[in-house]
């Protein structure tokens, strides 16, 4: 369990399941992600040589990321899928978890109720982070998330939807959805 933090004024909470004993508890994202006194421990066998080991562990404990293969493989150099990127954005930037999906629906052709990520996609769509019109009703949840898609998801999650700009990139057309 996370160390106690004296700052109880933060209301950014996430429902977290402890990896070692399945005990469900509620804690603040600040305690897990930002506190220097938080002692993070996970069972991933492939993160100990990664510069990102501590933040991977903290994000795992906060239920923001999961391993890629059981048991205990994280794949720190692997690609991130659209579903995984949206889960991280919904959890970190919007500070929501699957409990916030109650009563919501999603309209993507390639997302079903059997998918582990459906609740995360419901929230992302409800918060206007993921839109069915971007790819004609498809999300391509298991495809690698491109830099353009990630930029759009983050901008939308942060409410950066009105801007004026001049595009100077030769590989970005003014009509591209991520422009």
């Amino acid at each position: 369990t996370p160390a106690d933090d004296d700052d109880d004024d933060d209301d950014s909470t996430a429902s977290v399941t402890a990896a070692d004993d399945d005990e469900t508890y509620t804690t603040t994202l600040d305690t897990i992600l930002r506190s220097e006194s938080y002692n993070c421990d996970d069972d991933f066998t492939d993160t100990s040589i990664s510069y990102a080991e501590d933040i991977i562990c903290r994000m795992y404990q906060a239920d923001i990321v999961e391993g890629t293969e059981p048991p205990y493989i994280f794949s720190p150099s692997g690609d991130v899928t659209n579903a995984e990127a949206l889960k991280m954005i919904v959890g970190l930037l919007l500070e929501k978890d699957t409990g916030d999906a109650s009563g919501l629906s999603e309209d993507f052709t390639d997302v079903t109720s059997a998918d582990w990520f459906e609740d995360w996609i419901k929230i992302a769509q409800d918060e206007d982070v993921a839109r069915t019109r971007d790819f004609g009703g498809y999300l391509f949840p298991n495809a690698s998330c491109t830099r353009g898609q990630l930029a759009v998801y983050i901008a939308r999650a942060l409410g950066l939807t009105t801007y004026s700009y001049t595009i100077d990139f030769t590989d970005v057309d003014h009509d591209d959805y991520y422009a």
Side-chain angles (χ1 to χ4, degrees), residues 86 89 94 124-125 127-131 134 152-154 156-157:
L86 287 168
I89 289 167
L94 301 178
Q125 184 175 354
E127 295 288 333
D128 200 33
V129 174
R131 297 177 181 167
D134 289 342
V152 167
Y153 295 154
I154 292 170
R156 288 177 181 165

Side-chain angles (χ1 to χ4, degrees), residues 72-144:
Y72 315 121
I73 303 295
F74 182 79
S75 305
S77 298
D79 291 338
V80 174
T81 67
N82 285 316
E84 292 167 334
L86 287 168
K87 178 183 178 184
M88 286 187 269
I89 289 167
V90 166
L92 280 173
L93 299 181
L94 301 178
E95 298 182 357
K96 295 184 180 279
D97 66 19
T98 56
D100 296 309
S102 179
L104 301 178
S105 63
E106 55 78 22
D107 301 316
F108 290 100
T109 304
D110 53 354
V111 176
T112 70
S113 61
D115 294 321
W116 69 264
F117 46 78
E118 185 199 28
D119 284 343
W120 298 104
I121 303 307
K122 286 178 180 180
I123 297 166
Q125 184 175 354
D126 185 65
E127 295 288 333
D128 200 33
V129 174
R131 297 177 181 167
T132 55
R133 67 179 176 267
D134 289 342
F135 298 105
Y138 292 91
L139 178 67
F140 304 104
N142 296 310
S144 291

Side-chain angles (χ1 to χ4, degrees), residues 16 27 31 33 36 53 58 66 78 84 102-103 115 136 139 143 149 164:
V16 180
T27 187
T31 299
L33 297 176
E36 291 181 28
E53 178 184 17
R58 288 169 182 255
E66 298 176 19
E84 292 167 334
S102 179
D115 294 321
L139 178 67
Q149 288 169 307
S164 65

Side-chain angles (χ1 to χ4, degrees), residues 1-63:
T1 61
D4 290 332
D5 192 344
D6 293 333
D7 183 9
D8 292 332
D9 297 329
D10 186 359
D11 63 350
S12 59
T13 60
S15 177
V16 180
T17 302
D20 57 340
D21 62 4
D22 291 334
E23 173 188 346
T24 302
Y25 60 94
T26 301
T27 187
T28 65
L29 287 175
D30 275 348
T31 299
I32 292 175
L33 297 176
R34 297 182 185 101
S35 173
E36 291 181 28
S37 63
Y38 184 78
N39 183 16
C40 198
D41 186 27
D42 66 46
D43 294 320
F44 292 126
T45 59
D46 61 345
T47 59
S48 63
I49 59 170
S50 174
Y51 71 94
E53 178 184 17
D54 186 59
I55 196 64
I56 290 168
C57 180
R58 288 169 182 255
M59 289 177 67
Y60 173 73
Q61 293 295 323
D63 197 31

